[in-house]
Amino acid sequence: MTRLGDLERAVMDVLWDVVPGTSDGVTVREVADALDGRELAYTTVMTVLDRLAGKGMVQREREGRAWRYRPAASREAHIAQLMLDALDLGGSRDAALVRFARSVTGTEAEVLRAALGADAELTGLGSADGGRAPARPGVELTDRVDGPTGRRPADEAVER
């Protein structure tokens, strides 16, 4: 996955924040207007959106003479893919995962345990407690984060 430049990230933030999953998307003008504090030409925003479409980060659909844009994947899916890509940079994936796990807060560790427990339960690979880790209140573990391929990033990591 390609890292985003500052302007690309700002445009993606607009799309992630403004466009609900059921929306038809937004126009270049709407994105330009939402980029508060930046004096950008319409053509600049259009070029950034075109490049993001070429990278597979946004989907676009023709509406009359204009295009409507929406994110190809959620912000969470994008971040998860960045994390997986970072693990592929070299060295030991296991060592990097252990170091990461030791660096998270207690609350974040609970979320990871609950997610791993839920995945183990779904695959029948539960631990001694049946794969049931205590879920953090307010965190829905049945939600899946699908990457641009339509599969969960964790599934893609298993195939590597």
Side-chain angles (χ1 to χ4, degrees):
M1 177 171 282
T2 310
R3 289 190 179 255
L4 301 176
D6 291 337
L7 186 52
E8 289 174 325
R9 175 62 191 235
V11 168
M12 287 306 300
D13 282 339
V14 167
L15 293 176
W16 283 320
D17 293 340
V18 172
V19 181
T22 59
S23 170
D24 290 336
V26 292
T27 63
V28 173
R29 174 63 54 208
E30 292 167 326
V31 172
D33 291 346
L35 289 168
D36 294 330
R38 293 184 183 241
E39 297 298 322
L40 298 172
Y42 177 92
T43 54
T44 300
V45 177
M46 185 172 55
T47 299
V48 170
L49 284 163
D50 184 59
R51 287 184 180 165
L52 287 168
K55 292 179 179 183
M57 291 292 300
V58 300
Q59 297 172 340
R60 64 183 175 185
E61 189 173 310
R62 182 70 83 173
E63 183 178 275
R65 292 179 50 201
W67 290 98
R68 294 194 79 75
Y69 296 86
R70 65 181 171 276
S74 70
R75 177 183 280 133
E76 293 78 13
H78 175 69
I79 293 169
Q81 189 60 52
L82 287 174
M83 293 169 72
L84 289 169
D85 290 347
L87 286 173
D88 288 339
L89 290 177
S92 168
R93 285 178 71 114
D94 292 346
L97 283 170
V98 168
R99 188 168 186 105
F100 174 76
R102 289 183 177 155
S103 69
V104 298
T105 66
T107 303
E108 293 164 340
E110 288 176 32
V111 171
L112 287 172
R113 273 192 220 87
L116 291 171
D119 276 352
E121 188 175 305
L122 290 173
T123 60
L125 300 174
S127 59
D129 67 353
R132 291 180 183 87
R136 182 172 161 218
V139 175
E140 181 60 44
L141 296 177
T142 58
D143 291 343
R144 296 291 182 213
V145 178
D146 293 334
T149 62
R151 299 183 339 225
R152 293 183 312 156
D155 294 340
E156 293 172 355
V158 170
E159 294 176 4
R160 292 182 187 173

